[in-house]
Amino acid sequence: MTITITAFDRSPDGGKGLARDTRVRWALEEAGQDYDVRLVTFPELKQPAHLAVHPFGQIPTYEEGDLALFETGAIVFHLADRFPGLLPGDPDARARAITWMFAALSSVEPPVLELITVRFIEGDKPWAEERMPLVMDRIRARLKQLAARLGDSEWLDGEFSAGDLMMISVLLRTRPSGILDEFPNLAAYVARGEARPAYQRAFADQLAVNTRPTD
């Protein structure tokens, strides 16, 4: 059965790999799985056909036969659970890798998303300028903890896993602010993830969609 995911017809980031479909593309590439991409416009996100798969009108979605999934964490976990290459074989190491997936989405990403909100959605509000330093401090506090845990290690827990895939995907969202560069070991960690051939293929495919000529 063919795997089909959805992605923005034109991503807000212009193809810089920050849209969440990149995470799913990367996981599929790491797992060596072919897939199709159905491009969705912003108006189509709110249409019944798409809402039937993603009730919150977002991307990406994942469809394979009768299975339809939404939320990148759930999709990447499904792929990691089903195909080799994204989770360790040892049960304890596997459990730790899954824990890092949850940590990326539950502990690290929320303050990062606050930065995006205050900068792009609330940027014209009177409180935005005052709120920005508070948000940046929350991100720094979380990245300091993560940097201390990573130390000089190549990956978060032994070999590369879906935990690293999700964490690096989240950390990439901090790069435009410059805050990632304040933590050299995290910046190097992200660079190692970006250097993986599977990530390179996923990034190139997403960039190609967003740089194609318009009709």
Side-chain angles (χ1 to χ4, degrees), residues 60-110:
T61 59
Y62 175 102
E63 296 174 78
E64 184 181 12
D66 293 331
L67 177 64
L69 300 174
F70 62 97
E71 295 295 335
T72 54
I75 295 169
V76 172
F77 177 75
H78 168 73
L79 293 171
D81 188 53
R82 180 175 174 188
F83 302 111
L86 282 169
L87 287 176
D90 175 75
D92 288 350
R94 177 187 176 90
R96 291 193 300 270
I98 294 169
T99 298
W100 280 115
M101 290 182 65
F102 278 84
L105 297 176
S106 299
S107 295
V108 180
E109 190 164 44

Side-chain angles (χ1 to χ4, degrees), residues 77-148:
F77 177 75
H78 168 73
L79 293 171
D81 188 53
R82 180 175 174 188
F83 302 111
L86 282 169
L87 287 176
D90 175 75
D92 288 350
R94 177 187 176 90
R96 291 193 300 270
I98 294 169
T99 298
W100 280 115
M101 290 182 65
F102 278 84
L105 297 176
S106 299
S107 295
V108 180
E109 190 164 44
V112 175
L113 293 179
E114 278 192 76
L115 174 61
I116 295 169
T117 298
V118 73
R119 177 166 288 176
F120 297 107
I121 299 177
E122 301 174 349
D124 60 342
K125 304 299 182 184
W127 64 79
E129 185 176 351
E130 184 176 354
R131 186 178 175 215
M132 180 67 78
L134 301 175
V135 172
M136 294 291 279
D137 285 345
R138 280 196 286 270
I139 296 173
R140 284 189 181 94
R142 192 61 84 200
L143 295 191
K144 182 179 179 180
Q145 293 169 322
L146 181 62

Side-chain angles (χ1 to χ4, degrees), residues 6-213:
T6 50
F8 288 125
D9 179 66
R10 292 286 175 179
S11 177
D13 74 337
K16 296 178 181 178
L18 303 183
R20 285 183 173 86
D21 64 283
T22 306
R23 305 174 185 185
V24 176
R25 293 174 187 266
W26 186 5
L28 285 162
E29 294 289 351
E30 291 282 357
Q33 298 301 306
D34 295 328
Y35 61 98
D36 293 335
V37 181
R38 184 170 67 251
L39 300 178
V40 184
T41 65
F42 283 98
E44 288 170 340
L45 290 174
K46 309 306 178 185
Q47 296 301 310
H50 186 75
L51 291 172
V53 182
H54 198 311
F56 304 110
Q58 299 174 318
I59 60 99
T61 59
Y62 175 102
E63 296 174 78
E64 184 181 12
D66 293 331
L67 177 64
L69 300 174
F70 62 97
E71 295 295 335
T72 54
I75 295 169
V76 172
F77 177 75
H78 168 73
L79 293 171
D81 188 53
R82 180 175 174 188
F83 302 111
L86 282 169
L87 287 176
D90 175 75
D92 288 350
R94 177 187 176 90
R96 291 193 300 270
I98 294 169
T99 298
W100 280 115
M101 290 182 65
F102 278 84
L105 297 176
S106 299
S107 295
V108 180
E109 190 164 44
V112 175
L113 293 179
E114 278 192 76
L115 174 61
I116 295 169
T117 298
V118 73
R119 177 166 288 176
F120 297 107
I121 299 177
E122 301 174 349
D124 60 342
K125 304 299 182 184
W127 64 79
E129 185 176 351
E130 184 176 354
R131 186 178 175 215
M132 180 67 78
L134 301 175
V135 172
M136 294 291 279
D137 285 345
R138 280 196 286 270
I139 296 173
R140 284 189 181 94
R142 192 61 84 200
L143 295 191
K144 182 179 179 180
Q145 293 169 322
L146 181 62
R149 178 58 183 264
L150 179 65
D152 295 329
S153 299
E154 184 177 19
W155 307 113
L156 288 170
D157 192 289
E159 298 298 318
F160 175 86
S161 75
D164 295 295
L165 186 153
M166 294 304 294
M167 188 66 75
I168 291 167
S169 296
V170 169
L171 291 176
L172 278 166
R173 287 175 165 253
T174 69
R175 180 179 282 161
S177 70
I179 198 170
L180 183 64
D181 294 330
E182 298 178 20
F183 302 89
N185 69 329
L186 294 184
Y189 169 61
V190 170
R192 286 192 292 273
E194 291 178 296
R196 293 181 68 83
Y199 179 85
Q200 291 288 313
R201 292 191 296 271
F203 182 90
D205 287 346
Q206 208 248 13
L207 180 63
V209 168
N210 286 278
T211 56
R212 74 193 191 282

